[in-house]
Amino acid sequence: MPTPPENRELSPYTGWTRAHWEAAADRLLLDVRPFASPGRGLVDLPGPRPSWSGPRSDGLEGWARTFLLAALRVAGAHGEDPHGHLDRYAEGIAAGTAQPGREDRESWPAMAGTRQAIVESASIALGLRLTRPWLWDRLDDRTRRRTADWLLPALGPSPVDNNWWLFGLTVAGFLQDAGIETDRAAATIDRSLARIEDWYLGDGWYSDGDNRAFDHYNAWALHFYPVLHAHLSGDKDLLDRYGPRLRAHLDTYVHLFDANGAPLPYGRSLIYRFAAAAAPWLGALTGHTPLAPGATRRLASGALRYFLDRGATDERGLLGLGWHGPYPPLVQEYSGPGSPYWASKGFLGLLLPAGHPAWTDPEEPLPAERADTVLPVAPAGLLVQTTAADGLVRLHNHGSNHVHSAPGAEDDPGYARQAYSTRTGPSTGTAVADNHFALLVDGRATTRGPAVPVGTGPDRAASVHHPLPGVRVLSATLVHGRAELRAHLVLGAPEGTPVRQTGWAVTPDDPHAQPPAPTQLPPAQAQRHPVRAQLHPVHGYRPEAAELPTGETLQGPGGRALALHGTTRGPASLFVALASLTAEPDPAPVSDLANVRVTGPHTLTVTWWNGATARLDLAAVSATAAPSVGSHEGPGPTSRPGPAS
């Protein structure tokens, strides 16, 4: 399939137009066709291993998630379907629902025995809802009845107490529209929305269940399903409730996209890649967005191109289990070969008419390339830091934890790092943890465990964690421009305990960091300078920095991080360092960017390079510490949340 020509007048940043999105959707759909079962009821994609739900569930997942893409493609074209996508999926519905649960080459697994089928029911129901005039209404009565029977178990209470509640809501929305079990569907909608209300913490941020997991699921699940349901239902009251929350979330979320198009690799299920564009498209679709139409397309097209230009699809055109190309450490146990196709959500913008300003207005720059930004996210204990000179995004984590996070337990690299960026790590496995402060006990680094937020401010965020019984570490990050001040007050550690602070895990000469050259991008983006990390001791550390291997990261092989070492002295020991991550050419040493004075046992005064000043009193911050959602000093949660998608 030929690629449409770029349009650099309409899209000066990416060159892409709606025609490119339609072509990309068609290409992805055509390339999975060889892996459909004979009756087209399952899509069995090749992969290194099945998910923990098994091959049949994976076949349903491959079918359901590519069906959602087909539905967005055809619904966005008002039923035009030159490649016959819907005809194939109509055959698949008939084959898959003929005898659910049967062990044959076509049948869908029953929800009673395969929990993952509940997740996939949402994609199927949403696809049917979007294409109802061209698919559902043309199915024979028997197939419609069998399909409804297969979907109905999703209306029960969610077996997993997190974003899974919204899968039942999505199924209920379709059944309600189709006039099937409408009272039961309405009850499911009410129950599902009531449950997620318990997790809404304000400023557009939800916790993903009774824990402090804040990540992309806010955008591609917790906002996506309620807002889209309200929009498709024409329910003004619901949209008036959930639309402003989406806008509030996007106020922060749009700052998490690099000038090179990359979303921030933070949290879990990162193999969904450009699903990260779903929420910005949803904001444009419903009018609840802080972004101008041209900026919305620039963000979404940038994200789609970022991955497609960097090997997200293999030689067969299939989305693989990874970030750029395959990267096994990124893959959760619940993910199978069909899982990456939840990236289909990123094509939500095709529902916008071709004449919508999001398609017709010229592209505009992203927030990350407009101005340096420091943005605290108080509910989540996060601090966003971007720099316009290189379009780089950093996220400092002082309060988001994986659901299984517990003191002394193994850290999840997607949540437990002190900082993340769009062009680095994180390191994984047995490699040295990047962006990590640890006590070294018998040569082994302590884990971070759950970080309890203790405050954010215009330029800072702070948290406390318990790396060892009876030991507390109060950590704070202050940022200004590209400079970061990282301070840790260690309380209760034995005298002379070694400590280590690591910096950013940089991949040398990373070919993925900048846009492929040559391009007609604005000068700041067209430059291809490597990303550079700096780490400078200020207080408590020895003067020299070591360089440690961090192994392969999602950015590529050969990662390395700087590290500082020191030892505790007395019941309260203060450790302070300056750090920097930049793609500026010939950056000045980070030590030139700030003058830091330690004015007390736990008090700092910082004068930045431009004369701005900041003061940090770690004891005062510590005094504000209080338990928060999901925080604990004992064992972690005992209930297993199950797969998230």
Side-chain angles (χ1 to χ4, degrees), residues 61-138:
E61 187 173 65
W63 191 96
R65 299 186 182 198
T66 57
F67 171 55
L68 177 58
L69 177 58
L72 291 167
R73 172 69 175 97
V74 175
H78 303 289
E80 293 184 15
D81 189 6
H83 296 284
H85 297 311
L86 291 192
D87 288 344
R88 295 178 62 88
Y89 285 98
E91 292 178 36
I93 290 172
T97 61
Q99 293 180 296
R102 182 177 177 180
E103 294 294 328
D104 57 28
R105 300 187 66 183
E106 305 293 343
S107 296
W108 293 354
M111 292 185 202
T114 305
R115 289 198 311 180
Q116 185 66 23
I118 297 172
V119 181
E120 307 319 317
S121 72
S123 292
I124 294 170
L126 180 55
L128 291 172
R129 191 175 192 183
L130 293 171
T131 61
R132 185 178 168 192
W134 312 291
L135 179 53
W136 177 258
D137 290 348
R138 296 182 179 182

Side-chain angles (χ1 to χ4, degrees), residues 538-540 574-576 595-606:
V538 173
H539 182 83
L574 178 65
F575 298 91
V576 184
N595 178 33
V596 183
R597 292 185 298 119
V598 179
T599 54
H602 37 65
T603 306
L604 306 172
T605 300
V606 186

Side-chain angles (χ1 to χ4, degrees), residues 391-448:
L392 207 157
V393 177
R394 311 151 194 83
L395 182 72
H396 302 278
N397 177 18
H398 286 276
S400 178
N401 304 302
H402 189 269
V403 64
H404 297 307
S405 180
E410 182 179 350
D411 282 338
D412 186 310
Y415 292 89
R417 300 295 187 254
Q418 185 178 347
Y420 297 84
S421 90
T422 45
R423 302 188 202 174
T424 62
S427 59
T428 60
T430 59
V432 172
D434 62 296
N435 289 321
H436 182 63
F437 180 83
L439 281 65
L440 302 180
V441 180
D442 297 328
R444 294 188 61 186
T446 56
T447 58
R448 188 184 193 190

Side-chain angles (χ1 to χ4, degrees), residues 166 169 192-207 217-219 221-228 230 236-254 279-280 282-283 286-290 377 379:
L166 298 174
L169 174 142
S192 301
L193 295 178
R195 186 66 186 110
I196 68 164
E197 197 68 22
D198 294 340
W199 302 323
Y200 185 65
L201 301 184
D203 295 340
W205 285 84
Y206 294 86
S207 62
Y217 274 88
N218 265 269
L222 291 159
H223 287 287
F224 180 86
Y225 291 113
V227 175
L228 187 55
K236 184 178 182 304
D237 290 340
L238 279 185
L239 194 57
D240 285 347
R241 181 193 309 172
Y242 294 105
R245 293 184 183 182
L246 171 63
R247 182 188 180 98
H249 181 69
L250 290 174
D251 274 330
T252 302
Y253 185 68
V254 298
L282 184 58
T286 61
H288 292 281
T289 179
V377 185

Side-chain angles (χ1 to χ4, degrees), residues 492-583:
E495 179 83 15
T497 302
V499 303
R500 182 179 69 198
Q501 169 75 71
T502 55
W504 298 97
V506 174
T507 302
D509 302 321
D510 175 17
H512 303 300
Q514 292 293 335
T519 61
Q520 301 177 29
L521 300 180
Q525 296 176 63
Q527 297 169 357
R528 295 172 55 84
H529 300 294
V531 65
R532 304 169 193 263
Q534 300 174 347
L535 189 63
H536 176 74
V538 173
H539 182 83
Y541 298 109
R542 296 196 291 269
E544 69 280 358
E547 187 177 63
L548 304 177
T550 54
E552 183 178 13
T553 72
L554 54 79
Q555 302 291 354
R560 304 189 71 82
L562 294 172
L564 301 174
H565 293 83
T567 55
T568 60
R569 290 179 172 82
S573 297
L574 178 65
F575 298 91
V576 184
L578 287 167
S580 167
L581 181 71
T582 182

Side-chain angles (χ1 to χ4, degrees), residues 482-483 534 536 578 580 586-594:
R482 67 173 171 92
Q534 300 174 347
H536 176 74
L578 287 167
S580 167
D586 302 317
V590 69
S591 56
D592 292 353
L593 302 183

